[in-house]
Amino acid sequence: MRLTRPSTRPIGPLLTLACATLGLGASPAPAQENGTALPQSLAPLASAEAPSEPVETHPRPFGRHGELTEREMEMARTAWSYFVERYQPETGLVNAVGSYPSTTLWDTASYISGLVAAYELGIIDKRTFDTRATKLIRTLRNLDLFRGEAPNKVYNTQTGEKVNYANQPGEIGYSVLDMGRMLVWLRILKERYPYLANGVDNVPIRWNYCNIVNDDGRLFGSLVRGDGETRYVQEGRLGYEEYAAKGFALWGFDVTAALDPQPLNYTRIYDIDIPYDGRDPRVFHNQNYVLTESYLLDGLELGWDLPVSDPAGAGNASHGWRAEFAHRIFEVQKRRFEATGMITARSEHQVDGQPYFVYDSIFADGYAWNTLDPSDTYQPDRAAVAAKAAIGMWALWEDDYTDLLFETVADLSEAEGGFYEGLYENGNGFIPLQTANNNGIILAALLYKAQGPVLQFTNDNTSYWDTAWAGTDIRANKCLPETQVVELTCCACGDLPQPKPAVTAEEFLFCRPVNGPYGLGATDCGTTEQSFAKPEPRYVLPQACRVPWGQ
């Protein structure tokens, strides 16, 4: 990522002076970061004094980087073939699983992932890319929303209509995790291809966020009760919650609570403290699976950075604890192989026949290597080496084990149909299903090797998302972020004691913690535990006396 020049927009932000009326001095926070208004939870840190030591840069990015080999390019073409075979020309959507004409926002974001990678790797030309992208944007912009609020969880790919899980007309609620992933990829489209920005902005600007983003920054999805009433429920657990939150933060939403890893617990597996969500499933009725995918997506798409431009480069992760936890998730799977001989690349995935889908976890419901279906029934025979997890880890970690993972799944495909989901651990062969999510993530991993993290902050243009309905009640009625308003932090907060980070520098084992402009970052990550000199603490002013970004 590059350090971009300050934006020179014709419309200046309205500054809310928090302590001017009290006669207190305050240094104004920068209004924009790469042409996007900083979330209010970040603004105080941007105006704080620089750390006592500069942010250290590291020349080597995470994982593998360089031109793709011919074999890797053939893999990319094979993965793209899924999106050719399962494309619906009437809507521009792609089936989530094989020939079944249904999809979700999550799977559609994975299609965008594949589309971007196919274009950037030279598999398709610009005419094909533009035709597909504009048709998809038109469909997304005109989706019939769940009760006028946000996209329904499922849509028919042939008609674009709202459907239930049986692909019958109806509506069943919305998922903020799916929305968050879509927001990541809409922002990638907008940054990489500014000529698409107007269309892209018109997709999320139709949504109403009042029931989605809570006042404290938590994210809420919805479902339909048996009596037809809508119920709003907090959605997401450690791993996926923060990834989805970054999608919302990229569009200016204050998602402080969703980015905070607390409540946080650890379980010891192969001498590594593996983090898991501390909310008790018996109380909150939501399982706390530890899975690979969310950490892979964060690395491949965002470089384990906070959702702002990071001038330190691809070898530094500004969201330090995310990089640290990702390395633990990788290393524990490698150690399982070393201890048992079982090749391990765990992720949730589709399966042929009942139960159709499993959460192939590293830890869940009190047990390591616990494979559960959506009803929390143990399904050990459905454990698999997931192709997307294997290729994703190969891209992000360069060592002999990921070479083995690569060989395990590199040819698990059809030339005209894409990659299969994975290879069963118990020797029952490959999973004979091909999906948009699997093939989209594989393409993103190959693009990562060629170009680094997919999100690149390169678009400094004025954004319709920021200016639409400025000065009217419409933005407030839809609870859109006020990106043209910068609230200055009251300087009186500086006398308060500084909160302890949720993951302290002393807890970093596989990555070296560094003081970044927004909190603890990470660099020098490795696959063995290391001993680092801890950075000196730095003191900053939190917004409304609250530490931002959940650090």
Side-chain angles (χ1 to χ4, degrees):
M1 297 179 182
R2 63 181 179 87
L3 177 62
T4 55
R5 66 184 183 277
S7 174
T8 54
R9 297 181 184 274
I11 300 177
L14 170 67
L15 301 182
T16 303
L17 301 180
C19 25
T21 57
L22 301 177
L24 301 174
S27 300
Q32 312 253 339
E33 174 74 19
N34 186 50
T36 300
L38 290 175
Q40 293 191 9
S41 59
L42 182 59
L45 286 183
S47 65
E49 294 183 4
S52 56
E53 297 179 3
V55 176
E56 299 180 42
T57 59
H58 191 259
R60 181 172 175 76
F62 300 111
R64 299 173 193 265
H65 292 278
E67 185 177 352
L68 297 189
T69 67
E70 181 51 40
R71 185 185 185 193
E72 292 158 8
M73 277 300 303
E74 187 58 35
M75 290 172 62
R77 287 188 283 269
T78 296
W80 173 247
S81 72
Y82 176 86
F83 300 103
V84 175
E85 295 294 316
R86 303 307 181 184
Y87 181 67
Q88 300 287 357
E90 292 300 315
T91 61
L93 297 170
V94 171
N95 300 346
V97 182
S99 61
Y100 193 65
S102 175
T103 194
T104 67
L105 277 195
W106 184 282
D107 297 297
T108 303
S110 293
Y111 166 44
I112 298 174
S113 172
L115 182 62
V116 169
Y119 175 56
E120 294 292 334
L121 296 173
I123 298 170
I124 60 175
D125 61 17
K126 186 173 183 295
R127 184 182 302 275
T128 302
F129 174 80
D130 286 353
T131 300
R132 280 179 170 250
T134 53
K135 182 171 286 189
L136 177 63
I137 289 169
R138 181 187 67 183
T139 294
L140 293 175
R141 183 251 178 266
N142 291 295
L143 287 177
D144 187 8
L145 303 179
F146 171 78
R147 302 190 177 177
E149 290 187 83
N152 192 50
K153 290 180 181 178
V154 192
Y155 285 88
N156 184 297
T157 55
Q158 294 173 329
T159 65
E161 294 177 343
K162 290 182 295 188
V163 292
N164 58 25
Y165 288 122
N167 214 28
Q168 297 301 309
E171 54 181 8
I172 53 177
Y174 54 75
S175 166
V176 291
L177 300 186
D178 291 9
M179 292 170 64
R181 176 153 171 73
M182 176 58 73
L183 288 171
V184 169
W185 277 97
L186 288 176
R187 184 58 187 265
I188 288 170
L189 282 179
K190 181 175 173 177
E191 291 291 338
R192 280 181 172 260
Y193 317 109
Y195 64 93
L196 294 176
N198 283 0
V200 168
D201 282 349
N202 272 282
V203 175
I205 210 164
R206 291 183 61 230
W207 307 347
N208 188 307
Y209 299 88
C210 296
N211 292 317
I212 295 172
V213 183
N214 191 272
D215 289 342
D216 66 0
R218 289 179 296 158
L219 297 174
F220 284 74
S222 71
L223 52 84
V224 179
R225 297 174 185 254
D227 59 5
E229 292 297 313
T230 302
R231 181 185 177 193
Y232 298 97
V233 292
Q234 186 277 327
E235 189 176 345
R237 290 295 180 263
L238 182 69
Y240 282 103
E241 184 176 14
E242 294 81 11
Y243 170 70
K246 288 184 180 184
F248 283 87
L250 284 168
W251 293 80
F253 290 97
D254 183 347
V255 287
T256 303
L259 279 169
D260 190 340
Q262 296 286 12
L264 182 61
N265 286 337
Y266 297 90
T267 185
R268 193 82 170 164
I269 306 175
Y270 292 119
D271 295 324
I272 300 175
D273 286 329
I274 299 301
Y276 69 94
D277 197 291
R279 285 167 282 196
D280 191 334
R282 297 170 300 178
V283 175
F284 294 97
H285 308 291
N286 201 337
Q287 192 55 261
N288 50 10
Y289 313 102
V290 178
L291 300 158
T292 306
E293 187 168 324
S294 67
Y295 294 99
L296 289 185
L297 298 179
D298 201 339
L300 296 172
E301 298 166 6
L302 308 174
W304 296 310
D305 278 334
L306 289 163
V308 287
S309 181
D310 178 15
N316 287 269
S318 61
H319 208 180
W321 70 262
R322 291 286 287 179
E324 168 67 23
F325 286 1
H327 279 72
R328 296 188 193 189
I329 295 300
F330 166 70
E331 181 62 21
V332 76
Q333 295 179 82
K334 178 180 176 182
R335 291 190 187 183
R336 181 183 186 234
F337 165 71
E338 292 170 343
T340 68
M342 184 69 72
I343 298 174
T344 305
R346 291 261 175 146
S347 188
E348 65 272 45
H349 55 79
Q350 303 284 335
V351 295
D352 52 319
Q354 293 281 358
Y356 303 112
F357 185 87
V358 295
Y359 297 98
D360 207 3
S361 75
I362 295 164
F363 178 81
D365 207 23
Y367 297 95
W369 317 112
N370 196 4
T371 303
L372 300 174
D373 66 22
S375 69
D376 290 340
T377 300
Y378 185 39
Q379 301 280 353
D381 288 339
R382 298 301 195 160
V385 178
K388 59 190 174 183
I391 300 301
M393 289 194 283
W394 170 83
L396 288 166
W397 288 275
E398 185 173 9
D399 72 356
D400 291 342
Y401 180 61
T402 57
D403 288 338
L404 177 63
L405 291 179
F406 181 89
E407 290 299 332
T408 302
V409 303
D411 299 299
L412 204 66
S413 63
E414 289 181 336
E416 301 299 328
F419 279 84
Y420 294 113
E421 281 288 271
L423 188 68
Y424 285 119
E425 286 185 353
N426 63 5
N428 273 339
F430 64 87
I431 304 171
L433 295 173
Q434 293 147 317
T435 67
N437 193 43
N438 186 45
N439 285 282
I441 292 173
I442 288 172
L443 277 162
L446 294 167
L447 180 60
Y448 177 90
K449 186 198 171 189
Q451 297 186 0
V454 183
L455 177 60
Q456 299 175 0
F457 289 96
T458 58
N459 183 357
D460 292 330
N461 298 331
T462 301
S463 170
Y464 177 66
W465 169 263
D466 295 330
T467 62
W469 305 306
T472 73
D473 291 338
I474 297 177
R475 291 192 73 92
N477 292 339
K478 296 169 75 70
C479 297
L480 293 168
E482 294 291 350
T483 55
Q484 294 297 307
V485 177
V486 176
E487 180 179 331
L488 299 183
T489 303
C490 181
C491 49
C493 299
D495 296 330
L496 296 178
Q498 300 300 308
K500 182 180 179 181
V503 181
T504 65
E506 288 73 22
E507 294 177 86
F508 280 51
L509 300 176
F510 295 93
C511 298
R512 179 164 62 88
V514 292
N515 281 325
Y518 311 127
L520 279 179
T523 190
D524 289 338
C525 295
T527 58
T528 57
E529 293 189 26
Q530 306 175 66
S531 177
F532 301 110
K534 306 305 180 186
E536 293 298 318
R538 55 191 291 268
Y539 299 97
V540 296
L541 292 177
Q543 186 232 353
C545 311
R546 176 181 67 187
V547 66
W549 296 115
Q551 302 246 3

